[in-house]
């Protein structure tokens, strides 16, 4: 395992970030991460639920921040317009009448 990768993202690993953590561990174990193959659900989970910024995600995937931002917007993942999975699970979302 490449400890320098783990150390680089250590702050975010200390929080409850299971999806982000899984990608950090993949990278630390030598896997090359490709932003193009990142599933939209994982991106939404990291950005909305785990509160990982575009810049940090970009660092993890070795791309520019604007690449992550464009991918989010392409899939409709925007702050204030996307519900967190936790909100839905907790029933905080009202169904239209």
């Amino acid at each position: 395992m490449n400890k320098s990768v783990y150390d680089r993202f250590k702050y975010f690993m200390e929080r409850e970030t299971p999806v982000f953590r899984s990608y950090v561990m993949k990278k630390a174990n030598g896997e090359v991460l490709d932003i193009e193959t990142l599933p939209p659900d994982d991106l939404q989970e990291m950005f909305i639920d785990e509160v990982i910024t575009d810049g940090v995600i970009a660092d993890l995937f070795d791309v520019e921040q604007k690449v992550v931002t464009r991918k989010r917007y392409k899939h409709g993942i925007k702050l204030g317009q996307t519900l967190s999975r936790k909100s839905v699970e907790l029933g905080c979302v009202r169904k239209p009448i």
Side-chain angles (χ1 to χ4, degrees):
M1 181 172 94
N2 185 339
K3 187 161 170 28
S4 67
V5 170
Y6 185 87
D7 288 344
R8 197 163 121 207
F9 299 101
K10 185 177 180 178
Y11 170 77
F12 300 98
M13 301 286 281
E14 292 172 351
R15 301 184 347 218
E16 188 175 328
T17 56
V19 175
F20 183 77
R21 174 185 293 270
S22 72
Y23 283 96
V24 170
M25 295 310 292
K26 287 177 185 181
K27 184 170 183 147
N29 287 317
E31 189 173 325
V32 176
L33 302 180
D34 182 1
I35 193 72
E36 296 302 319
T37 61
L38 175 64
D41 286 347
D42 286 356
L43 180 56
Q44 180 172 331
E45 181 78 18
M46 285 190 280
F47 184 74
I48 300 295
D49 294 328
E50 297 179 0
V51 194
I52 305 295
T53 65
D54 288 352
V56 174
I57 295 169
D59 285 346
L60 179 62
F61 282 83
D62 295 318
V63 297
E64 293 182 29
Q65 181 175 334
K66 64 184 177 183
V67 173
V68 176
T69 303
R70 277 196 302 257
K71 185 172 180 79
R72 274 195 312 101
Y73 275 64
K74 176 182 175 185
H75 295 288
I77 303 167
K78 301 175 186 173
L79 282 176
Q81 295 179 342
T82 307
L83 299 171
S84 75
R85 188 172 296 150
K86 292 174 188 172
S87 294
V88 173
E89 289 172 358
L90 293 173
C92 297
V93 180
R94 293 185 189 187
K95 294 182 180 179
I97 298 175

